[in-house]
Amino acid sequence: MNETSALEKNLIARALAQQDARAFGELVKLHQSRVRNFLRKMARDEALADDIAQDSFMLAWKKLHTFSGQGSFIGWLLKIAYNTFLQSKRKSGRYDEVLQQLGHQPADEATSVNAEAITDLDKYLAILSEQERAIMTLSYACGLSHREVSDTANLPLGTVKSLIARSKEKIRAKFQIQHHQHQ
Amino acid sequence: MRNSKSNIINISDKTMDQEDRFLQQLFDGDAIADNGFSAQLEKRIKRQLAIRRFSLPGAILVGGAIALGPLIQMLGSTTDWVAEVVPAIDPGLLAATTAGGSLPAVTVLSLAAALVGAALLIPQLLND
């Protein structure tokens, strides 16, 4: 379970009490990589993802007073990022354009896992639904616990666990991954 | 029997761990370099803060400049009205307040106080 660190608490307090943009900038520096990484996997377009990340952090700045300090700050940020992504997707057709360009469906024939395929995360992401992609990214790329993922994605814990299991099964089946292959 | 079942669960757990590690490696890309991302955001926040800080005084200044002409006109007509009404109530008052030939001091002072009060109150109300 990620906890809000003393450094984060200090920066949050400074940003809130003194409207200190520099303190908030330090918080952004600490977490931008994970937030942008998550959004890049969701939007699958770096420029679009970075725009959404900027909007997410601006919203986080506005809503900073609502952060209760319970749970992790990164979980709170990722929740805002996920909601901003969903809103931006609803508003704009850009996301659909990107998906069309990338081709949502992977190659017809099942792909065996090799070194090249492992580095090509897009193939794995493409077979997952948007919700599954979010859950898997939050869990495996952002390192959130299942409970934090459930809170971030606003889903019951049981649903998160079954979505993870289903996503793993999809990846296993599509790419013919045997358990003994990933040792 | 109990032992073998427990072994199976352990093997299954171990396999899941390996799979989880594999997925973690797969999903966890390289750290993304900041490359001015946070500086750009800081700039946006500072700009937003400046806009919020200066918008109200700015609006008051611009609004005040626009309203200055009509306000002076209104003040003139009010003092004329007061000059007509006050002698009717108390003929000695106007003579006492305009002894120096200037504008009626009581009227000007009360109007100025009302304006200062309004100027202090309006930003407070807007802020709320």
Side-chain angles (χ1 to χ4, degrees), chain A residues 17 28-29 46 61 67-68 77 81 86 99 104 116 128 148:
Chain A
V28 175
K29 266 183 204 157
E46 286 189 10
W61 163 256
F67 176 63
S68 62
L77 280 177
L86 291 176
L99 272 189
H104 192 66
E116 202 180 356
L128 301 177
E148 284 175 309

Side-chain angles (χ1 to χ4, degrees), chain A residues 142-155:
Chain A
C142 303
L144 300 191
S145 68
H146 287 182
R147 194 164 292 281
E148 284 175 309
V149 173
S150 128
D151 187 45
T152 302
N154 221 4
L155 289 169

Side-chain angles (χ1 to χ4, degrees), chain A residues 19 21 24 28-29 32-33 36-37 41 53-55 57-58 61-62 118 121 125 140-141 168 172 179 182-183, chain B residues 15-16 18-20 22-24 26-29 31-34 37-38 40-42 44-46 48-49 52:
Chain A
Q19 290 282 289
F24 190 74
V28 175
K29 266 183 204 157
Q32 59 84 24
S33 179
R36 286 163 81 192
N37 191 18
K41 284 180 175 67
Q54 284 272 337
D55 291 345
F57 278 112
M58 284 305 288
W61 163 256
K62 275 186 208 158
I118 288 169
L121 184 61
L125 291 175
Y140 289 104
K168 282 178 178 177
R172 252 184 247 133
H179 285 177
H182 18 96
Q183 285 175 25
Chain B
T15 312
M16 285 303 287
Q18 284 165 350
E19 187 175 53
D20 285 343
F22 166 75
L23 286 167
Q24 204 153 14
L26 187 74
F27 275 80
D28 195 14
I32 299 170
D34 189 276
F37 180 87
S38 54
Q40 195 186 342
L41 201 89
E42 249 185 76
R44 272 182 78 179
I45 291 172
K46 280 178 184 166
Q48 201 187 56
L49 282 174
R52 208 188 304 165

Side-chain angles (χ1 to χ4, degrees), chain A residues 19-36:
Chain A
Q19 290 282 289
D20 188 344
R22 195 169 291 177
F24 190 74
E26 289 299 317
L27 282 168
V28 175
K29 266 183 204 157
L30 284 175
H31 298 297
Q32 59 84 24
S33 179
R34 280 214 270 183
V35 171
R36 286 163 81 192

Side-chain angles (χ1 to χ4, degrees), chain A residues 78-96:
Chain A
L78 286 166
K79 187 174 188 166
I80 291 177
Y82 186 43
N83 287 332
T84 310
F85 163 76
L86 291 176
Q87 270 184 358
S88 129
K89 205 194 102 186
R90 272 195 291 268
K91 275 188 211 159
S92 139
R94 175 87 179 101
Y95 173 79
D96 294 326

Side-chain angles (χ1 to χ4, degrees), chain A residues 44 99-109 122-129 133 170 174-175:
Chain A
R44 301 169 74 197
L99 272 189
Q100 272 178 356
Q101 279 167 11
L102 283 169
H104 192 66
Q105 295 302 317
D108 284 335
E109 67 275 11
D122 264 341
K123 285 181 183 170
Y124 291 85
L125 291 175
I127 63 161
L128 301 177
S129 72
R133 210 158 58 232
K170 270 189 182 178
K174 188 73 186 175
F175 298 98

Side-chain angles (χ1 to χ4, degrees), chain B residues 68-116:
Chain B
L68 196 63
L71 195 70
I72 290 168
Q73 225 175 355
M74 195 186 79
L75 272 173
S77 59
T78 309
T79 48
D80 289 347
W81 177 79
V82 170
E84 277 174 28
V85 170
V86 169
I89 301 165
D90 182 0
L93 185 63
L94 191 62
T97 52
T98 57
S102 60
L103 282 168
V106 174
T107 316
V108 173
L109 280 175
S110 50
L111 270 171
L115 278 172
V116 168

